[in-house]
Structures are given as C-alpha cells and as structure tokens.
Amino acid sequence: MTPRILTVHFFRTAAGTEPVRDFLRNLPTEDRKAVGTDIKTVQFGWPLGMPVVRKLGHGLWEIRSHIRDGIVRVLFTVSGCQMVLLHGFIKKALRAPRELETARQRLRQLQRGER
C-alpha cells in the first residue's frame, strides 16, 4: 500500500475546546517535540504499524511516543485523508480503560457530526 499524506485535525468539543491541543501544550517542550515528530511520521507515512502506531479497534489507533517520564499516547481516527486527534494522555497504568472510553466517545461524536 502506498503511503499517503494526511491532514491533521484536533477533535473539537461542543464548547469549542481542543483537548489534545491543550494536552500537548502542557507538555514540556522536549516531550512536545517528540510527540509532534511521531504525529508527523504518521501524517506523512500512513498507514503505519508498530512500534509507532497500534490499532485499538474499529476506526481507532494510538500513536506511542516515548518521553522521559513514560509513554504518551495520542488516540486518533482516520477518515479519508484526515487524521483526527481524539485524546492524549501519559500512560502510567498497564491498562487505560477510561482513556479508551474517552476516545471512543469522541469518535462517536465525530461520526454523528456533533463536533
């Protein structure tokens, strides 16, 4: 499959906030650059797999970025040539069901056109 270039968009809540953009802005500069580089790798090399991208379920993937304090996960979906960043967090526990549910809820909102 030939890589394609995706345009990157941030999920926007009904209130107009962009949770992933806010999350990234709160990271230290060095960590923000590492995550940005991995997002760009996906943007220009889609489709990708491990170790950068892992599929989580129908229409949901995660970018795994290694930082000083652990691993940042940015959960996203792809629609056509658009990559929508749904949720971002620093993974500290082995499982992150609440984080996955947040991303799935935002994906459902996006699919219903509620964004």
Side-chain angles (χ1 to χ4, degrees), residues 3-61:
R4 61 182 184 213
I5 298 173
L6 303 175
T7 57
V8 178
H9 301 273
F10 291 92
F11 174 82
R12 185 173 297 193
T13 67
T17 63
E18 296 174 328
V20 178
R21 187 185 303 267
D22 295 340
F23 167 75
L24 294 174
R25 283 183 176 152
N26 287 319
L27 291 175
T29 301
E30 181 179 319
D31 296 343
R32 192 169 49 243
K33 285 181 182 178
V35 176
T37 297
D38 289 338
I39 291 170
K40 190 174 181 179
T41 298
V42 175
Q43 177 185 9
F44 287 93
W46 184 256
L48 289 174
M50 292 292 283
V52 178
V53 175
R54 186 178 85 164
K55 186 166 184 158
L56 299 176
H58 183 69
L60 189 62
W61 289 268

Side-chain angles (χ1 to χ4, degrees), residues 49-109:
M50 292 292 283
V52 178
V53 175
R54 186 178 85 164
K55 186 166 184 158
L56 299 176
H58 183 69
L60 189 62
W61 289 268
E62 72 175 353
I63 297 170
R64 305 155 63 97
S65 298
H66 293 273
I67 61 168
R68 189 174 355 103
D69 294 333
I71 301 175
V72 169
R73 305 292 172 101
V74 176
L75 308 182
F76 70 97
T77 190
V78 174
S79 177
C81 288
Q82 293 187 3
M83 173 184 186
V84 181
L85 307 180
L86 300 168
H87 187 52
F89 62 99
I90 297 174
K91 187 168 181 187
K92 295 181 181 175
L94 268 167
R95 298 185 62 196
R98 185 175 55 213
E99 308 295 352
L100 284 172
E101 185 49 39
T102 297
R104 287 185 179 119
Q105 180 182 29
R106 290 176 180 165
L107 177 59
R108 286 190 296 272
Q109 290 173 357

